[in-house]
């Protein structure tokens, strides 16, 4: 009779641990928290490098000149008497078609798309640290796949960048001896390496960590589901045991 009483006990009345008031629940594991932090770092590093005009350093008319894909610092203009003078300021090109080469135009689009994708995933990962049930194990893996694609796009942009070194504007800055994959008197800047390093970290480290970022379904929620499904059987058993 004792055995039947255990089965007849209504499972909906089982105590469920109460959450402490004021506590913030996360949908990420400890590895997932590390993944969210690294995702934010790589996304910010790549995106900042994308906007800064320090991918390529050279000189023109005795003044230092630097480029990114769609911006440059210090450029020549016609002064009085048709002489060239250097304007020492940084800015973007007036239009997309004004970018010196087709390779740099492609690099601008591809790298920008990759940075946007990394920023989107990083934002969702940071929100997952503060919101419960936002990122599951499968969702984290899908976000890791998106990071791999974003890093691949940025890496493709970095690979396309040297194809534009043969444009007249770049050759004037690099001693008129530069060519595709040949810098001449110019040198690569820190922003180029930072963008490539951020892309590599997103593809290799963040993608791997994302496989362990999300939490599995909670045991309490699973127990509640089982309780609801077995409630009808418990009531029928209780009815059979009555005299």
């Amino acid at each position: 009779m004792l055995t039947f009483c255990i089965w007849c006990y209504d499972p909906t009345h089982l105590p469920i641990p109460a959450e402490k008031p004021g506590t913030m629940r996360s949908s990420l594991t400890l590895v997932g928290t590390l993944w969210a932090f690294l995702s934010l770092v790589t996304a910010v590093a790549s995106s900042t490098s994308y906007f800064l005009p320090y991918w390529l350093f050279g000189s023109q008319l005795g003044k230092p000149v630097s480029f990114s894909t769609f911006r440059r610092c210090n450029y020549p203009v016609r002064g009085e008497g048709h002489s060239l003078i250097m304007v020492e300021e940084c800015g973007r090109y007036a239009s997309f078609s004004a970018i010196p080469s087709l390779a740099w135009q492609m690099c601008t689009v591809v790298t920008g798309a990759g940075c946007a994708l990394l920023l989107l995933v990083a934002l969702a990962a940071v929100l997952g640290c503060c919101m419960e049930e936002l990122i599951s194990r499968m969702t984290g893996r899908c976000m890791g796949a998106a990071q791999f694609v974003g890093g691949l796009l940025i890496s493709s942009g970095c690979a396309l960048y040297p194809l534009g070194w043969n444009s007249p504007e770049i050759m004037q800055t690099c001693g008129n001896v530069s060519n595709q994959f040949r810098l001449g008197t110019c040198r690569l800047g820190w922003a180029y390496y930072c963008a490539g390093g951020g892309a590599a970290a997103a593809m290799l480290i963040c993608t791997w960590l994302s496989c362990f970022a999300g939490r599995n379904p909670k045991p309490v929620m699973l127990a509640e589901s089982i309780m609801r499904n077995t409630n009808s059987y418990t009531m029928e058993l209780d009815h059979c045991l009555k005299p």
Side-chain angles (χ1 to χ4, degrees), residues 35-69:
W35 166 70
F37 173 74
L38 291 179
S39 298
L40 183 62
V41 170
T42 55
V44 171
S46 298
S47 301
T48 303
S49 302
Y50 173 66
F51 282 100
L52 292 179
Y54 303 124
W55 285 40
L56 185 68
F57 288 99
S59 63
Q60 189 173 359
L61 299 179
K63 299 290 184 180
V65 179
S66 60
F67 297 89
S68 66
T69 59

Side-chain angles (χ1 to χ4, degrees), residues 85-231:
I85 59 174
M86 292 295 294
V87 178
E88 299 185 31
E89 65 179 18
C90 298
R92 63 178 179 82
Y93 289 100
S95 62
F96 184 76
S97 59
I99 295 176
S101 67
L102 177 62
W104 280 22
Q105 293 174 358
M106 296 172 60
C107 180
T108 300
V109 174
V110 170
T111 306
C115 290
L117 194 55
L118 290 187
L119 284 173
L120 183 63
V121 173
L123 176 61
V126 172
L127 289 177
C129 295
C130 310
M131 299 176 62
E132 191 177 5
E133 300 178 15
L134 179 65
I135 300 177
S136 63
R137 184 62 60 89
M138 183 58 66
T139 303
R141 291 173 179 175
C142 292
M143 293 170 67
Q147 284 181 308
F148 184 86
V149 174
L152 186 62
L153 289 173
I154 297 175
S155 301
S156 300
C158 292
L160 288 170
Y161 192 67
L163 296 176
W165 294 347
N166 61 346
S167 65
E169 183 174 341
I170 307 304
M171 292 181 66
Q172 292 172 6
T173 307
C174 299
N176 292 313
V177 292
S178 65
N179 206 336
Q180 293 182 348
F181 297 98
R182 180 181 175 186
L183 279 172
T185 58
C186 293
R187 60 184 177 87
L188 287 174
W190 60 267
Y192 178 84
Y193 294 110
C194 189
M203 292 175 62
L204 301 177
I205 301 177
C206 293
T207 301
W208 177 66
L209 290 178
S210 68
C211 297
F212 316 99
R215 293 184 183 275
N216 287 325
K218 294 182 178 180
V220 173
M221 295 177 61
L222 183 59
E224 290 178 347
S225 177
I226 295 174
M227 291 174 189
R228 288 192 295 266
N229 293 334
T230 59
N231 188 33

